[in-house]
């Protein structure tokens, strides 16, 4: 099956710093990728749709200046959490579609101290 | 809008027991339906899918049938194993064949299988 990777798998940072998370489709191209946030014991919340060659589309209530998304190529999307605060601590997961199926990355655990 | 309602957990079973996790949906058009599984500390893995009415998705002993008349996609397994312990998510995607691949997820059901 299709493989999607994320890097890093885990990151700890100080409050006020920025953190970049990469999402890569390893064996297929994706003009669209999705970024989700998952709180403990809860479902996934779609944050934004990353579009190659154009601006990302953000879901209602998600701050676009806080969560910067760049879809640099057909296999790479990055999510930058700017000026991170403890409330941004969460599990961030990306996905990329191949046909009608979404393939998910393994997730990135962010802890902001 | 689209929505997915799945059985709330947690569900605790003994090894070799029969498993059913109910899932119903509301959607316009003809969505595709999915079950994803999330093992502790990991991302989601596609377990099975069905893209049209009466299709049956199956994988690793799990099955689910796309029932348009009851708008359901219940997950079943005849004999669970300890290794099946995970969170299971029912999901649907946008209009089949379109460019909208957004997934709508249920809240997830935690399954624990004891030896």
């Amino acid at each position: 099956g299709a493989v999607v990777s994320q890097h890093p798998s885990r990151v700890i940072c100080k409050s006020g710093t920025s953190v970049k998370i990469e999402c890569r489709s390893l064996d297929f191209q994706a003009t669209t990728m999705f970024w989700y946030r998952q709180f403990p014991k809860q479902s996934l919340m779609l944050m934004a749709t990353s579009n190659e060659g154009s601006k990302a589309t953000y879901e209602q209530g998600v701050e676009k200046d806080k969560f910067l998304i760049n879809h640099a190529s057909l296999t790479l999307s990055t999510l930058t959490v700017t000026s991170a605060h403890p409330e941004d601590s969460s599990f961030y997961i990306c996905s990329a579609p191949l046909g009608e199926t979404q393939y998910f990355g393994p997730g990135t655990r962010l802890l902001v101290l | 809008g689209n929505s997915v309602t799945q059985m709330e957990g947690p569900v605790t079973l003994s090894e070799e027991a029969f498993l059913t996790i109910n899932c119903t949906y509301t959607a316009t058009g003809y969505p595709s339906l999915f079950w994803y599984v999330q093992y502790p500390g990991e991302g989601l893995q596609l377990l099975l899918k069905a893209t049209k009415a009466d299709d049956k998705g199956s994988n690793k002993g799990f099955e689910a049938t796309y029932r348009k008349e009851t708008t359901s996609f219940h997950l079943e397994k005849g004999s669970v194993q300890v290794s099946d312990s995970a969170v299971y998510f029912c999901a649907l995607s946008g209009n089949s064949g379109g460019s909208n691949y957004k997934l709508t997820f249920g809240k997830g059901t935690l399954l624990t299988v004891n030896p």
Side-chain angles (χ1 to χ4, degrees), chain A residues 1-39:
Chain A
V3 178
V4 175
S5 70
Q6 278 185 246
H7 178 80
S9 58
R10 184 184 301 264
V11 57
I12 302 173
C13 69
K14 293 182 180 180
S15 185
T17 60
S18 295
V19 174
K20 180 184 286 187
I21 302 170
E22 293 185 348
C23 176
R24 294 181 185 272
S25 56
L26 295 186
D27 48 0
F28 65 102
Q29 295 181 334
T31 56
T32 301
M33 292 184 179
F34 298 91
W35 286 97
Y36 297 83
R37 183 172 178 177
Q38 185 180 32
F39 294 98

Side-chain angles (χ1 to χ4, degrees), chain A residues 6 38 91 93 104-107, chain B residues 37-45:
Chain A
Q6 278 185 246
Q38 185 180 32
F91 194 49
I93 305 175
F104 286 80
Chain B
V37 58
Q38 185 178 33
Y39 297 101
E42 299 183 12
L44 274 68
Q45 299 176 26

Side-chain angles (χ1 to χ4, degrees), chain B residues 49-88:
Chain B
K49 68 177 182 180
T51 58
K52 61 182 187 297
D54 299 326
D55 268 2
K56 178 187 283 187
S58 61
N59 185 28
K60 299 181 181 179
F62 291 89
E63 293 183 340
T65 301
Y66 190 145
R67 301 285 187 200
K68 190 169 174 61
E69 64 276 14
T70 54
T71 62
S72 65
F73 193 55
H74 304 322
L75 181 68
E76 295 182 337
K77 186 173 185 180
S79 177
V80 293
Q81 305 300 313
V82 173
S83 57
D84 293 326
S85 298
V87 180
Y88 292 81

Side-chain angles (χ1 to χ4, degrees), chain A residues 32 34 36 38 41-44 46 49 57 59 91 93 95 97-107 109, chain B residues 32 34 36 38 41-46 49 51 89 93 95-103 105-108:
Chain A
T32 301
F34 298 91
Y36 297 83
Q38 185 180 32
K41 299 184 179 180
Q42 294 190 26
S43 190
L44 280 73
L46 178 64
T49 303
T57 306
E59 296 300 303
F91 194 49
I93 305 175
S95 72
L98 180 61
E100 293 190 349
T101 301
Q102 291 279 350
Y103 291 91
F104 286 80
R109 176 78 59 191
Chain B
S32 293
F34 305 85
Y36 283 88
Q38 185 178 33
E42 299 183 12
L44 274 68
Q45 299 176 26
L46 176 66
K49 68 177 182 180
T51 58
F89 291 94
S93 71
N95 293 332
S96 178
S99 60
N100 180 6
Y101 294 111
K102 287 185 183 180
L103 283 173
F105 284 93
K107 292 187 176 182

